[in-house]
Amino acid sequence: GENVEQHPSTLSVQEGDSAVIKCTYSDSASNYFPWYKQELGKRPQLIIDIRSNVGEKKDQRIAVTLNKTAKHFSLHITETQPEDSAVYFCAASSVVEGKIIFGKGTRLHILP
Amino acid sequence: SAVISQKPSRDICQRGTSLTIQCQVDSQVTMMFWYRQQPGQSLTLIATANQGSEATYESGFVIDKFPISRPNLTFSTLTVSNMSPEDSSIYLCSATRYGGIDTEAFFGQGTRLTVV
């Protein structure tokens, strides 16, 4: 089955700087890669996703890149703000099975 | 996006008892899933809830411990049976509107279970 690895587990970034979170996946059949943000005590919220037919997608300060050959995908947050502090999860989904498998998460701290 | 209602939102249960969690989606969805999130951890998939048939369980999870029903497209239940303190966790219902290339998952607010 699918296995998603996520790094780093913790990331501290100065406010205004950029943050990058990297993930790898194992199942070449996966073609949907969402990213979720989870604040303390709340449900995961989808912040951006990318499908296998594109290599990059951007939404304001957030961008995601995908390298299908290497089975890598990354989340980039620019001009970080205090409200970006949260746990971020990458995930991968298989076309056939439809289920979403999560990475272990990255706790992002934005330092004032 | 779909709206998912999950209840109860939290419960404290005695060991050896069972708890049934309900998940209601406001529109028809293709697939429904149940996840467990232990404190400070990621989401672990328990099973895929199949409409009108037995759920498909992930490695490490069995039907006797986590029976699941999905009688129609918009409703599912997860039962945590014969609970022990190790079952203390947050349980999340998830649903997708389409499968394949258009998969997008939505989550219920979760059920925080404490077993004493």
Side-chain angles (χ1 to χ4, degrees):
Chain A
E2 177 64 274
N3 182 50
V4 179
E5 298 286 340
Q6 181 171 350
H7 300 280
S9 57
T10 304
L11 179 61
S12 295
V13 173
Q14 208 70 38
E15 182 178 349
D17 288 350
S18 297
V20 180
I21 302 170
K22 298 183 178 182
C23 291
T24 61
Y25 63 99
S26 62
D27 188 348
S28 57
S30 291
N31 71 339
Y32 174 66
F33 306 93
W35 287 86
Y36 290 86
K37 176 182 180 182
Q38 188 175 34
E39 297 174 327
L40 190 63
K42 297 186 177 181
R43 77 188 81 185
Q45 295 283 355
L46 179 71
I47 56 171
I48 195 168
D49 57 18
I50 190 167
R51 305 179 199 280
S52 60
N53 56 345
V54 298
E56 185 173 357
K57 182 178 178 180
K58 189 173 181 180
D59 182 4
Q60 299 183 343
R61 297 187 296 109
I62 295 174
V64 58
T65 59
L66 171 65
N67 181 332
K68 281 213 70 180
T69 302
K71 298 194 183 75
H72 291 175
F73 58 115
S74 301
L75 178 72
H76 304 251
I77 305 175
T78 59
E79 301 173 15
T80 52
Q81 301 169 1
E83 53 266 34
D84 294 330
S85 293
V87 178
Y88 292 80
F89 294 100
C90 64
S93 177
S94 160
V95 172
V96 174
E97 296 177 314
K99 60 188 180 183
I100 294 181
I101 303 301
F102 286 79
K104 292 192 180 302
T106 297
R107 186 172 299 276
L108 177 63
H109 300 277
I110 305 301
L111 306 172
Chain B
S1 62
V3 174
I4 302 178
S5 299
Q6 187 176 336
K7 59 181 181 181
S9 58
R10 60 178 62 227
D11 207 342
I12 300 174
C13 300
Q14 295 291 323
R15 68 177 66 199
T17 63
S18 298
L19 175 72
T20 295
I21 304 167
Q22 298 182 1
C23 179
Q24 177 72 55
V25 188
D26 69 343
S27 58
Q28 291 192 349
V29 292
T30 306
M31 305 185 79
M32 294 182 75
F33 305 94
W34 288 96
Y35 288 85
R36 180 173 72 184
Q37 187 173 29
Q38 294 177 309
Q41 303 296 314
S42 183
L43 286 79
T44 300
L45 180 64
I46 297 172
T48 302
N50 300 310
Q51 184 195 359
S53 65
E54 188 173 295
T56 304
Y57 290 84
E58 298 297 306
S59 176
F61 297 96
V62 295
I63 188 171
D64 290 346
K65 177 66 176 177
F66 298 102
I68 289 170
S69 76
R70 188 181 173 194
N72 57 53
L73 282 174
T74 62
F75 184 78
S76 179
T77 65
L78 167 73
T79 298
V80 186
S81 302
N82 188 24
M83 289 183 285
S84 66
E86 292 72 36
D87 295 320
S88 297
S89 190
I90 296 173
Y91 293 86
L92 292 135
C93 169
S94 172
T96 59
R97 191 180 302 280
Y98 305 105
I101 196 69
D102 291 325
T103 300
E104 181 175 348
F106 307 97
F107 287 89
Q109 71 269 37
T111 297
R112 184 180 295 275
L113 171 62
T114 302
V115 183
V116 297

